[in-house]
Amino acid sequence: MLPRMLSVGAVTQPRGQSWRLGACGWRGAVSRRWRCLSATKQKNNGQGLEEDLGHCEPKTEPPSADKTVLEEKVKLEEQLRETMEKYKRALADTENLRQRSQKLVEEAKLYGIQGFCKDLLEVADILEKATQSVPKEEVSDSNPHLKSLYEGLVMTEVQIQKVFTKHGLLRLDPIGAKFDPYEHEALFHTPVEGKEPGTVALVSKVGYKLHGRTLRPALVGVVKGA
């Protein structure tokens, strides 16, 4: 039998030995598969560890796109701040302009008759001089024409002063008052006994104020110190 087996080139092995070789091959395959799985698991664990470490590392500068967005945000906030400041200044200027315009309108209403009042003051001065020029002893029943004329002048003067007061025009007769350069105009200074220096001793022409503003200063003589 041995020569026949050699002639066909076949090598035979005992049956028990063939089974043992198959079992060894199977164990080797399982061992190789296990090593491959272990290597893969270790690799995955290493990648997870690197990711965890990456999360724990301090953050670096944001990418260029995020940096551009932040810069644009800061720029827009600055523009918004400047726009709000300009808006507030514009509101303040508008309010100031409104107040000035309102004040001008009110002053125009109050002092719009200023020129007319100045012209009427001359009429009032003439009436005052006319009544003062009439001797009081001549105003009697023995002279009824003069008496009637005088009473008419006095009534006209009283009425015109009422009209002046109605429209805010007040008469200034500062005899004995302290001299005020905003309301009085000094024509002369003279010493007067029994008078305090700096007070008004004589009123040559009365003054007038329109709504608190001096329309015409009173022409006065001021007491001078000795």
Side-chain angles (χ1 to χ4, degrees), residues 32-224:
R32 287 194 298 271
R33 181 62 178 171
W34 178 258
R35 286 196 297 270
C36 290
L37 291 175
S38 299
T40 303
K41 185 175 181 180
Q42 290 177 358
K43 183 178 180 181
N44 292 335
N45 291 336
Q47 290 179 353
L49 181 60
E50 290 178 356
E51 291 178 357
D52 294 339
L53 291 176
H55 287 297
C56 296
E57 291 178 356
K59 294 184 179 180
T60 58
E61 294 184 359
S64 59
D66 295 342
K67 186 175 181 181
T68 303
V69 171
L70 291 176
E71 292 177 353
E72 187 67 20
K73 179 182 177 182
V74 172
K75 183 178 179 181
L76 291 175
E77 289 178 349
E78 183 65 23
Q79 291 179 356
L80 177 62
R81 189 180 302 106
E82 293 178 357
T83 303
M84 289 299 297
E85 291 178 357
K86 291 180 180 179
Y87 173 70
K88 291 178 181 180
R89 286 196 296 268
L91 282 181
D93 294 339
T94 303
E95 180 64 18
N96 292 335
L97 178 60
R98 186 191 67 79
Q99 292 179 359
R100 288 196 298 268
S101 301
Q102 184 177 1
K103 184 178 180 180
L104 290 175
V105 171
E106 292 176 354
E107 289 182 351
K109 291 179 180 179
L110 292 176
Y111 305 110
I113 60 173
Q114 182 172 327
F116 180 67
C117 290
K118 283 185 177 181
D119 294 336
L120 286 179
L121 294 183
E122 299 297 330
V123 178
D125 293 338
I126 293 173
L127 286 173
E128 185 177 5
K129 288 181 179 179
T131 55
Q132 290 176 355
S133 63
V134 177
K136 297 300 186 291
E137 61 274 8
E138 296 293 332
V139 182
S140 61
D141 294 336
S142 59
N143 195 347
H145 298 290
L146 180 60
K147 182 179 179 181
S148 298
L149 179 61
Y150 176 78
E151 289 177 353
L153 291 174
V154 171
M155 290 176 64
T156 304
E157 184 181 7
V158 171
Q159 186 63 31
I160 199 171
Q161 290 297 329
K162 287 182 179 180
V163 173
F164 286 171
T165 303
K166 179 180 178 180
H167 293 280
L169 188 61
L170 301 179
R171 190 169 183 265
L172 296 176
D173 190 4
I175 187 72
K178 193 74 175 178
F179 177 77
D180 187 351
Y182 296 101
E183 297 180 357
H184 312 145
E185 182 178 344
L187 298 177
F188 57 88
H189 291 77
T190 181
V192 179
E193 293 183 1
K195 297 286 185 179
E196 182 182 356
T199 57
V200 177
L202 177 67
V203 178
S204 177
K205 182 184 284 189
V206 295
Y208 286 89
K209 293 177 70 174
L210 179 62
H211 295 293
R213 179 186 294 181
T214 301
L215 183 62
R216 187 183 75 183
L219 303 181
V220 300
V222 183
V223 177
K224 182 174 68 173

